[in-house]
Amino acid sequence: MRKQVEILKVPIDDVSNVEAMERLKIFLEEPNLKKVYTPNPEIVMLAQDDTELLRIIQEADLVLADGIGLLIASKIKGLGLKERVTGIDTMEQLLIYSAEKGKSIYLLGGKPGVAEIACKNIEEKYKGIKIAGFYHGYFQDKDEKEIIDNINRSKPDILFIALGAPKQEKWIDKYKNILECRLAMGVGGGVDIYAGTAKRAPLIFQKLGLEWFYRLIKEPWRIKRMMNLPKFLIKIILTK
Ligand code: UDP
């Protein structure tokens, strides 16, 4: 049975990393498209004013708690979220599983050339995985038909979309009825991690739930977006 908790109206699935993978493996055997999103406090805050984004997350098949802020909110409110399930860890598990089972992936997003390098690295590291295709994320509206045709010709099991949030969630929603794949998942900067153009925070930062802090040091211009985190926590404390 699906158990979700609501954090400022945004439903989050109460699953562990292992349970999330169990759910995803089932999705990969079912014919209709499943939509997976990994919101963090920033996205939850965006969804407060963006009703389209809120609806999109409400309609998802799996919503993972990506961000220590959501766990803190869950503790404050006594909602009992099991653990943090990050998009990047889930992507990694899906790649491992795809390699084992010979599943195919398509990677959409990132600066021109980045998705191609990421796919090469993924193919090298996860032997047995099938690369269905890739496309950069700086396309124009007029290119979208070509992208959809490209995806649908190769019929990937998994479509990873790295256009940043909330663009990737809105893109999946726009095309959910015509995309021919089993799983569509927004992975933000995942394409950059696999291409090697960005690095994950060192393990110690990950363990302490301080990846956001590492990111702030590396990309100080994100400060404006990150100010949403304290605003988020204040809102959590102030709302009943
Ligand atoms: N990106 C893209 N097209 C766009 C905007 C962004 O492909 O129009 C890519 C960008 O190159 C990066 C990823 O989307 O690889 C966004 O990464 P970020 O870590 O900023 O994701 P977020 O934190 O917004 O989810």
Side-chain angles (χ1 to χ4, degrees):
M1 244 336 92
R2 190 173 184 191
K3 185 189 164 215
Q4 288 191 305
V5 303
E6 264 192 22
I7 298 188
L8 300 178
K9 292 182 287 183
V10 176
I12 312 276
D13 282 272
D14 182 20
V15 287
S16 64
N17 281 274
V18 171
E19 289 164 346
M21 263 321 283
E22 280 166 7
R23 204 76 75 74
L24 292 165
K25 286 177 194 172
I26 294 171
F27 289 172
L28 283 170
E29 300 313 316
E30 294 177 344
N32 54 331
L33 173 86
K34 299 292 192 305
K35 306 169 294 297
V36 181
Y37 307 123
T38 65
N40 57 16
E42 253 182 69
I43 308 302
V44 170
M45 287 304 276
L46 272 184
Q48 301 307 296
D49 301 319
D50 185 339
T51 51
E52 186 197 1
L53 178 62
L54 180 62
R55 175 198 48 86
I56 290 171
I57 301 177
Q58 286 168 338
E59 289 175 7
D61 298 283
L62 187 62
V63 185
L64 303 175
D66 190 341
I68 197 72
L70 296 181
L71 270 292
I72 296 173
S74 154
K75 280 229 166 69
I76 293 173
K77 292 285 172 199
L79 298 172
L81 262 187
K82 287 197 183 92
E83 62 180 339
R84 192 164 66 116
V85 187
T86 67
I88 191 72
D89 286 328
T90 308
M91 182 175 179
E92 169 94 15
Q93 289 307 311
L94 278 169
L95 293 174
I96 293 170
Y97 182 72
S98 298
E100 255 174 55
K101 302 284 178 189
K103 304 262 180 218
S104 60
I105 65 150
Y106 191 108
L107 191 50
L108 169 64
K111 299 212 174 91
V114 173
E116 183 173 2
I117 300 171
C119 282
K120 280 207 182 103
N121 292 343
I122 288 170
E123 203 170 21
E124 182 82 1
K125 185 167 173 199
Y126 304 93
K127 299 264 185 260
I129 203 166
K130 296 195 180 87
I131 303 294
F134 49 82
Y135 207 101
H136 68 82
Y138 291 84
F139 49 81
Q140 296 176 349
D141 289 354
K142 66 173 174 52
D143 302 323
E144 297 201 356
K145 188 180 176 308
E146 182 194 330
I147 298 173
I148 301 282
D149 287 349
N150 200 247
I151 294 168
N152 286 353
R153 256 196 308 274
S154 61
K155 296 189 178 33
D157 291 297
I158 307 174
L159 173 62
F160 289 115
I161 310 215
L163 300 174
K167 196 168 175 185
Q168 58 205 16
E169 289 76 11
K170 291 188 177 178
W171 202 88
I172 293 172
D173 184 69
K174 185 172 173 192
Y175 293 114
K176 62 180 186 254
N177 295 325
I178 53 171
L179 278 171
E180 294 183 35
C181 59
R182 297 265 161 108
L183 200 79
M185 176 172 169
V187 293
V191 64
D192 298 301
I193 303 282
Y194 284 100
T197 46
K199 278 206 164 43
R200 262 197 99 170
L203 212 57
I204 183 76
F205 283 79
Q206 293 179 33
K207 289 231 162 86
L208 293 173
L210 288 174
E211 277 175 292
W212 61 271
F213 181 63
Y214 178 81
R215 200 136 189 221
L216 186 60
I217 300 169
K218 290 272 169 195
E219 303 168 38
W221 56 90
R222 294 179 82 94
I223 183 78
K224 198 156 167 264
R225 282 180 59 173
M226 284 193 181
M227 283 314 288
N228 268 327
L229 184 60
K231 281 189 201 153
F232 167 79
L233 290 174
I234 291 167
K235 201 168 165 78
I236 289 286
I237 293 164
L238 294 182
T239 45
K240 284 240 157 61

